Amino acid sequence: MLKRIGRHPLVLSAIGSLLAGYLKLVYYTNRFTTEPVTIHEDTDKDLPVIVAMWHGQHFMVPFAKPSHWPAKVMISKSADGEINAIAARKLGMGLIRASGGRTAHQIKKRGGMRGFIEAVRALKDGYSIAMTADVPKGPARHSGVGIVQLAKHSGRPILPVAVATSRSIELNSWDKASVNLPFGRGGIVGGDLIWVPSDTDDEGLEAYRQKVEDGLNTATRRVYELVGRPNG
């Protein structure tokens, strides 16, 4: 019964709204530093982009987006995903309800192909797409190839992004989730754009997948340096 109540739309909506309010509190009570300082101006000419992030480090990513960037975020159709989707919508993000997988069965079950097609169309319409590079449920911080395939077929570049705060609670979850806390310092770090040519073969896709993984890990290490903490 408690499980059913917890999945009721009204309950999920209330939790999602509270999450959005809490994340705003975290953002406005932390002193954020962005690196490079000119990342938004430098990226404007290459919009739209595919914003790559790690699972567990994604809560504050909506605040890395300038107000003039129309964007959608890809979020799973799970109950937890519903809460995140409600929060993201209240933070000004459009939604694509899907997630990837490592097998054909997982991709079909999670709506991965439909989400991929929707993401390609959104990019063509001028929306940047935010999505996690690692695939549920792990291994964490190991990029899947889906985000590289999206860059290949859409012709749009991947922008690795990491966000962290000096105060947070680290959860013992598969994705090493970090619950950011208010009243500290925050950091937003963007990596170099990664362009994937349309004629890239399977061997090349693996090389670009590794490039995305390395770019995200580099951004993550740097953002934790900015807030004075060990790598999360």
Side-chain angles (χ1 to χ4, degrees):
M1 183 184 295
L2 289 175
K3 204 169 189 178
R4 287 198 300 271
I5 292 173
R7 291 179 177 175
H8 191 281
L10 291 177
V11 174
L12 295 176
S13 179
I15 296 173
S17 298
L18 287 172
L19 176 59
Y22 175 75
L23 293 177
K24 288 180 181 179
L25 172 68
V26 171
Y27 180 71
Y28 289 114
T29 59
N30 277 278
R31 302 182 304 278
F32 272 87
T33 300
T34 301
E35 188 177 286
V37 175
T38 59
I39 183 172
H40 297 133
E41 293 85 350
D42 294 343
T43 308
D44 275 349
K45 67 182 185 300
D46 293 309
L47 292 175
V49 297
I50 302 164
V51 176
M53 54 190 170
W54 285 141
H55 263 99
Q57 306 292 319
H58 60 280
F59 292 111
M60 300 300 295
V61 168
F63 299 100
K65 180 188 80 67
S67 58
H68 66 281
W69 286 16
K72 295 186 177 184
V73 59
M74 188 174 292
I75 299 177
S76 75
K77 296 184 287 185
S78 65
D80 287 347
E82 182 63 23
I83 292 170
N84 286 328
I86 292 166
R89 187 165 51 242
K90 289 183 176 294
L91 294 175
M93 304 287 286
L95 301 175
I96 296 176
R97 300 305 305 274
S99 63
R102 298 195 178 278
T103 66
H105 175 72
Q106 286 181 337
I107 292 171
K108 182 177 180 180
K109 181 179 179 181
R110 297 170 181 175
M113 185 54 67
R114 181 189 56 77
F116 184 92
I117 294 170
E118 190 174 342
V120 170
R121 288 174 177 167
L123 287 162
K124 288 182 178 179
D125 289 340
Y127 288 90
S128 290
I129 299 295
M131 60 187 296
T132 52
D134 45 352
V135 179
K137 294 186 172 184
R141 301 190 187 179
H142 177 81
S143 178
V145 75
I147 192 168
V148 179
Q149 290 276 18
L150 180 59
K152 171 184 174 178
H153 289 281
S154 68
R156 306 315 309 158
I158 298 169
L159 175 64
V161 171
V163 184
T165 52
S166 58
R167 303 179 64 247
S168 65
I169 298 172
E170 310 305 315
L171 302 182
N172 185 26
S173 56
W174 75 267
D175 57 0
K176 306 177 184 178
S178 181
V179 179
N180 306 100
L181 297 175
F183 309 115
R185 286 179 292 155
I188 299 170
V189 172
D192 295 331
L193 291 177
I194 300 169
W195 295 85
V196 182
S198 60
D199 60 352
T200 304
D201 59 16
D202 289 346
E203 185 176 340
L205 287 175
E206 170 55 25
Y208 282 107
R209 186 206 65 77
Q210 188 62 55
K211 199 169 184 178
V212 171
E213 188 171 304
D214 293 343
L216 276 171
N217 284 334
T218 297
T220 298
R221 284 192 296 270
R222 179 57 186 154
V223 79
Y224 275 93
E225 288 175 359
L226 283 180
V227 299
R229 294 182 53 190
N231 188 16

